[in-house]
């Protein structure tokens, strides 16, 4: 499924209760760690303005004994959503890599999100 592309003027990290400027890795890590500790309905979305690898955002939420991590991949006609299940440690690593490089390793391990 493709979603309409959006324009972003600043990099942000968003949770269920707040949206902040993603001005440091520590800000992002605090949000991810809060999601991991709280579980339930909590989620984190990291959106970058300066992307180099067509990934606009990474989002995650608890599911079962792990976390679903989804990538919003920009394509010509919109943004495609892919996902995979991760441990807490893998989830943190995906967010760290995306924050540092605007890329995510092993995209071939992600599957299309079906609606």
């Amino acid at each position: 499924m493709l979603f309409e592309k959006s324009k972003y003027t600043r990099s942000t990290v968003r949770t269920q209760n707040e949206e902040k400027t993603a001005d440091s890795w520590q800000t992002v890590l605090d949000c991810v760690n809060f999601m991991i500790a709280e579980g339930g309905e909590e989620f984190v979305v990291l959106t970058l303005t300066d992307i180099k690898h067509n990934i606009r955002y990474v989002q995650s939420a608890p599911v079962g004994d792990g976390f679903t991590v989804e990538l919003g991949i920009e394509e010509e006609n919109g943004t495609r959503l892919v996902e995979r299940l991760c441990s807490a440690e893998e989830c943190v690593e995906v967010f760290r890599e995306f924050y540092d490089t605007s890329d995510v390793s092993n995209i071939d391990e992600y599957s299309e999100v079906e609606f």
Side-chain angles (χ1 to χ4, degrees):
M1 171 172 268
L2 288 178
F3 296 91
E4 183 177 316
K5 287 184 182 181
S6 298
K7 302 285 187 214
Y8 296 93
T9 58
R10 66 186 177 108
S11 295
T12 60
V13 60
R14 185 168 55 96
T15 67
Q16 182 150 327
N17 298 314
E18 63 185 336
E19 182 174 299
K20 303 177 182 183
T21 299
D23 56 359
S24 73
W25 167 239
Q26 190 61 52
T27 299
V28 175
L29 181 60
D30 289 347
C31 291
V32 174
N33 283 336
F34 182 78
M35 175 195 65
I36 291 168
E38 289 296 309
E41 300 292 316
E42 193 56 55
F43 65 86
V44 176
V45 181
L46 174 60
T47 304
L48 300 181
T49 55
D50 184 24
I51 62 170
K52 298 171 186 71
H53 306 283
N54 291 351
I55 302 171
R56 174 56 66 192
Y57 60 86
V58 171
Q59 60 189 20
S60 183
V63 59
D65 292 333
F67 299 86
T68 183
V69 173
E70 298 177 340
L71 311 177
I73 301 174
E74 288 194 347
E75 297 180 341
E76 186 175 322
N77 297 327
T79 302
R80 181 171 53 100
L81 194 60
V82 296
E83 70 180 351
R84 79 177 182 106
L85 294 177
C86 295
S87 67
E89 295 80 15
E90 291 169 321
C91 182
V92 169
E93 181 56 27
V94 170
F95 276 89
R96 186 211 51 80
E97 180 182 15
F98 182 63
Y99 180 82
D100 287 345
T101 69
S102 81
D103 199 9
V104 174
S105 298
N106 304 318
I107 290 179
D108 58 324
E109 295 177 4
Y110 290 75
S111 303
E112 289 281 334
V113 173
E114 300 290 331
F115 289 95

